[in-house]
Amino acid sequence: MSVSRSNAQLAAFSGIAGRRVIITGGASGMGAGLVVAFSAHGAQVVSLDIEESVGAAIASDAGATFVKCDVSEQLSVDGAVTRAVEELGGLDVLIHAAGIAPGASAESTPVDLWRQVLDINATGTFLTNQAAFRHMKGSGGRIINFSSAAGAKGYPGKSAYAASKGAVLAWVRSVAVEWAPFGITVNAIAPAIWTPMYDRTRASMTEEQLAQHDRDLIGSIPVGGKLGDIDADLVPVLEFLAGDGSRFMTGQVFAVDGGGLMVR
């Protein structure tokens, strides 16, 4: 059996240059990092976020386009995705990174907070994926949703967040089957990545809390004992999932977390 490949075949599996990509949550954290990295690596990127001033500035600096979008509202999502696809001339990849993670004990979580978290994290996934599907169903594509280890094993103190991410996992596994005949793969990632939001979380801790937190990380993350880096750890995985090399993978959860979610 021959293992030789033409230059064109090798190039197709080597990166994301020319890919037409929508990234939600592009105004902060991992979403912002992906907007910058994907643009730098040759993808055509449209960033969606509800935070217009910050999101537009990040996209402009990266050479990407920004469109304001509230992922919890269907009219906003449908309009933003349509504008993005018109700008891109088509759609190859949706990376849905937008989400929130407020904390509250299970017994004191107010119903308004529950609804807000589910609206943004779960309904936002549903709406953005549906909108992307309508543009991909004739040509195929990649959908990559942000889930969390919380969706697989729970998260005391953030039960609404965990429930929303569990919904994302169930959604991914369902539509991966339904949309496979259209050449669309749907996968999830479960990241444990250091972001500016995490910096603020650390800054809010007392010295004792921070010391305990860091000891817990050492015990729960076998690789390095701390959260990963956006550029070194997250971007290469997302670029692989967005490219042709992942064409035979769907309905999977890719834990980018230093081993925190491993089967034990």
Side-chain angles (χ1 to χ4, degrees):
M1 174 178 164
S2 173
V3 294
S4 63
R5 296 286 187 272
S6 69
N7 288 338
Q9 286 173 315
L10 290 172
F13 283 85
S14 64
I16 56 168
R19 289 284 198 204
R20 298 166 297 183
V21 184
I22 292 175
I23 300 173
T24 73
S28 62
M30 289 178 276
L34 291 169
V35 168
V36 172
F38 270 58
S39 299
H41 296 170
Q44 301 176 58
V45 176
V46 174
S47 169
L48 306 185
D49 203 286
I50 197 168
E51 297 293 341
E52 186 170 13
S53 59
V54 177
I58 291 169
S60 178
D61 289 345
T65 300
F66 178 83
V67 176
K68 185 176 181 179
C69 179
D70 179 349
V71 298
S72 69
E73 294 291 339
Q74 185 171 12
L75 289 178
S76 181
V77 170
D78 290 348
V81 170
T82 296
R83 279 188 58 194
V85 172
E86 289 172 352
E87 175 74 23
L88 294 167
L91 181 61
D92 300 310
V93 182
L94 167 69
I95 299 175
H96 179 52
I100 59 172
S105 64
E107 69 276 11
S108 64
T109 299
V111 69
D112 287 347
L113 178 63
W114 172 269
R115 287 174 175 154
Q116 180 190 30
V117 174
L118 269 290
D119 281 349
I120 293 173
N121 294 355
T123 304
T125 300
F126 161 72
L127 292 174
T128 57
N129 286 201
Q130 275 194 336
F133 171 79
R134 289 191 285 271
H135 296 280
M136 290 180 174
K137 64 181 180 181
S139 56
R142 306 274 179 269
I143 295 176
I144 306 161
N145 292 313
F146 271 50
S147 184
S148 168
K153 62 182 183 181
Y155 196 154
K158 292 190 177 185
S159 55
Y161 172 75
S164 71
K165 293 302 186 177
V168 171
L169 292 180
W171 166 262
V172 164
R173 290 164 175 154
S174 300
V175 297
V177 176
E178 289 193 36
W179 295 351
F182 298 94
I184 300 170
T185 63
V186 187
N187 290 294
I189 66 162
I193 300 296
W194 201 301
T195 65
M197 182 182 295
Y198 177 60
D199 279 324
R200 292 192 291 273
T201 298
R202 292 179 64 87
S204 70
M205 295 180 183
T206 66
E207 289 187 13
E208 293 77 12
Q209 289 171 331
L210 186 58
Q212 183 59 54
H213 173 75
D214 287 342
R215 286 193 293 271
D216 292 342
L217 287 181
I218 291 171
S220 62
I221 300 179
V223 179
K226 62 181 181 179
L227 302 189
D229 178 78
I230 290 176
D231 291 325
D233 301 315
L234 182 69
V235 168
V237 177
L238 268 294
E239 290 191 348
F240 169 73
L241 291 176
D244 287 337
S246 66
R247 62 170 294 276
F248 204 52
M249 299 175 175
T250 197
Q252 304 302 309
V253 181
F254 293 87
V256 189
D257 66 353
L261 194 57
M262 74 168 69
V263 176
R264 300 172 190 259

